[in-house]
Amino acid sequence: MKYQRAWAEINLTNLTHNLTMLKKHITKDVNVIGIVKADGYGHGAVPVANALLSAGVRSLGVATCEEGVQLREHGITVPILVMGFTPEPLLPYAIEHNLTQTVFTADGAKVLAEQSAVYDKRTTVHIEIDTGMRRLGFMPEDIETICEVARHPNLFLEGIFTHFATSDAIEEGFMLEQQVRFEGMLEEISKRGLDIPIKHMANSGALSQTLRADGKFSTDAQKKKLLLDAVRPGIMLYGHAPSAEMSQTCMNLDLKPVMRLMTQVSMVKKLPPGVGISYGHMYKTERESTIAVLPIGYADGYPRRLSRKGSVLVNGKFAPIAGAICMDQCMVDVTDIPDVKSGDPVVMLDTVDNKISAECLADTVGTISYEILCCIGKRVPRFYVSSVS
């Protein structure tokens, strides 16, 4: 690893630890759908999926058909739910690879059924209900359309779900409104004699809502019903709370961040006072300074918005970003850190230190930890380790 320009350390032991901590708070009859979309939130979908499966996960969730096909091509055979939109030209690939498709319009169900008939297949589907996200999904009044989907001989209606819009907020009022709407929908479906085996709605935000401040399972009957037949943890598997608001509750889960982003010093130079650094000279030395050049930049996913705001760890000490972050490089001021030399390792994103955690970087640039993790670029190799941090 020390010979890499930049790299991300992915701690699979921490990943499985997080899964274990989450499973302690759900009953054994509740299935965990491990969410590995967006290349496993930037951690590498295939290694993450395999680690989750080894730890007992029985099904996976992705956003796109292409993501599902990638997992199949790497030998993963468990059910894979495609939760997003699959364009019609890609449906044959979804059918061929036995991907579970999300259906959210009558036309989409019709086209999928027709394509399945061509291949003499019965495609497994989950229905998505829009209870307030205002994204994909049938409206709660579309009962008859859902019944038609269930009756089609080339479609197997295995599941039904909804997605919460505000489950990552302490004020859970709207989330509970969505829950009530979904439960009402399930009741109406049941009255029509439809038995849908898998019902799910709890994402990471909703899962965090089921915990009390002390980390124990909530005794609130309404919140306990969020679990249904399956849950869909995403960001919590990777060791992060779904929002800053939920960090205190999630702290009691002892979640361990899975990714650490690293680079190394490529050059060290001494500069006199008053010297501008990087594009635009937005940063100028105020004293005789020692500047370390790092071979990592925004093309690697390290946000340019951290220019003049961010810090990194060099030899165990914090060094501020000096000037604009470039596409492939950035500079840091190591004047107060002795004996910095070319080849010294540098921590850009840490798994434990809050000052350069994904949450802290996200807060500094005005985004969320999800984006920080997902944007770490493909040219940054991932190295997988198995040790507790």
Side-chain angles (χ1 to χ4, degrees), residues 299-371:
D300 300 296
Y302 193 72
R304 191 174 189 276
R305 288 167 291 171
L306 286 171
S307 301
R308 299 182 65 185
K309 298 178 182 178
S311 296
V312 303
L313 271 176
V314 182
N315 294 341
K317 297 180 183 295
F318 285 108
I321 300 289
I325 294 170
C326 310
M327 181 181 290
D328 313 297
Q329 302 177 76
C330 63
M331 282 65 74
V332 296
D333 191 329
V334 294
T335 306
D336 297 322
I337 304 175
D339 302 322
V340 177
K341 61 187 181 302
S342 177
D344 283 350
V346 179
V347 185
M348 309 295 293
L349 167 68
D350 202 5
T351 59
V352 290
D353 192 285
N354 287 331
K355 191 170 181 179
I356 54 173
S357 66
E359 287 80 3
C360 184
L361 298 189
D363 183 62
T364 301
V365 302
T367 185
I368 55 177
S369 60
Y370 302 69
E371 183 178 2

Side-chain angles (χ1 to χ4, degrees), residues 167-201:
S167 61
D168 58 353
I170 294 293
E171 174 49 60
E172 76 275 10
F174 188 72
M175 181 194 75
L176 296 180
E177 285 182 31
Q178 286 189 259
Q179 180 183 0
V180 169
R181 290 174 192 151
F182 189 58
E183 290 170 346
M185 186 80 165
L186 296 180
E187 185 177 344
E188 290 299 317
I189 288 172
S190 180
K191 286 179 182 178
R192 286 160 172 77
L194 269 185
D195 179 24
I196 303 178
I198 303 175
K199 308 166 192 68
H200 52 105
M201 56 180 162

Side-chain angles (χ1 to χ4, degrees), residues 101-344:
Q101 290 293 292
T102 293
V103 171
F104 43 83
T105 67
D107 288 343
K110 180 175 181 292
V111 172
L112 178 60
E114 291 171 348
Q115 290 273 7
S116 300
V118 169
Y119 291 92
D120 195 25
K121 290 283 189 76
R122 192 177 186 214
T123 300
T124 301
V125 301
H126 285 212
I127 292 285
E128 182 171 4
I129 306 299
D130 181 1
T131 58
M133 184 70 175
R134 304 306 177 230
R135 207 167 60 177
L136 300 178
F138 288 106
M139 299 303 288
E141 58 267 24
D142 293 329
I143 296 286
E144 294 308 321
T145 302
I146 293 171
C147 292
E148 290 176 14
V149 172
R151 287 193 291 264
H152 200 288
N154 290 99
L155 300 179
F156 168 52
L157 180 50
E158 176 192 59
I160 185 169
F161 70 97
T162 193
H163 193 79
F164 291 122
T166 63
S167 61
D168 58 353
I170 294 293
E171 174 49 60
E172 76 275 10
F174 188 72
M175 181 194 75
L176 296 180
E177 285 182 31
Q178 286 189 259
Q179 180 183 0
V180 169
R181 290 174 192 151
F182 189 58
E183 290 170 346
M185 186 80 165
L186 296 180
E187 185 177 344
E188 290 299 317
I189 288 172
S190 180
K191 286 179 182 178
R192 286 160 172 77
L194 269 185
D195 179 24
I196 303 178
I198 303 175
K199 308 166 192 68
H200 52 105
M201 56 180 162
N203 54 5
S204 287
L207 279 169
S208 63
Q209 296 280 6
T210 66
L211 303 174
R212 301 189 314 211
D214 59 5
K216 294 183 179 180
F217 193 76
S218 174
T219 56
D220 185 300
Q222 185 73 1
K223 288 185 178 180
K224 288 176 76 171
K225 289 195 293 182
L226 286 166
L227 302 181
L228 293 176
D229 302 303
V231 294
R232 308 188 306 265
I235 194 69
M236 292 171 80
L237 288 175
Y238 304 97
H240 301 275
S243 69
E245 287 187 64
M246 308 306 298
S247 59
Q248 185 58 48
T249 299
C250 290
M251 188 179 297
N252 293 295
L253 278 175
D254 188 32
L255 298 176
K256 298 181 183 296
V258 176
M259 178 188 290
R260 183 165 69 161
L261 179 63
M262 302 285 295
T263 188
Q264 60 177 304
V265 175
S266 56
M267 182 179 184
V268 179
K269 58 177 60 178
K270 300 282 189 181
L271 296 176
V275 172
I277 296 174
S278 194
Y279 291 115
H281 282 186
M282 66 170 66
Y283 181 96
K284 291 189 176 182
T285 57
E286 297 180 352
R287 54 179 176 166
E288 184 176 294
S289 302
T290 305
I291 302 299
V293 183
L294 310 180
I296 187 171
Y298 61 78
D300 300 296
Y302 193 72
R304 191 174 189 276
R305 288 167 291 171
L306 286 171
S307 301
R308 299 182 65 185
K309 298 178 182 178
S311 296
V312 303
L313 271 176
V314 182
N315 294 341
K317 297 180 183 295
F318 285 108
I321 300 289
I325 294 170
C326 310
M327 181 181 290
D328 313 297
Q329 302 177 76
C330 63
M331 282 65 74
V332 296
D333 191 329
V334 294
T335 306
D336 297 322
I337 304 175
D339 302 322
V340 177
K341 61 187 181 302
S342 177
D344 283 350

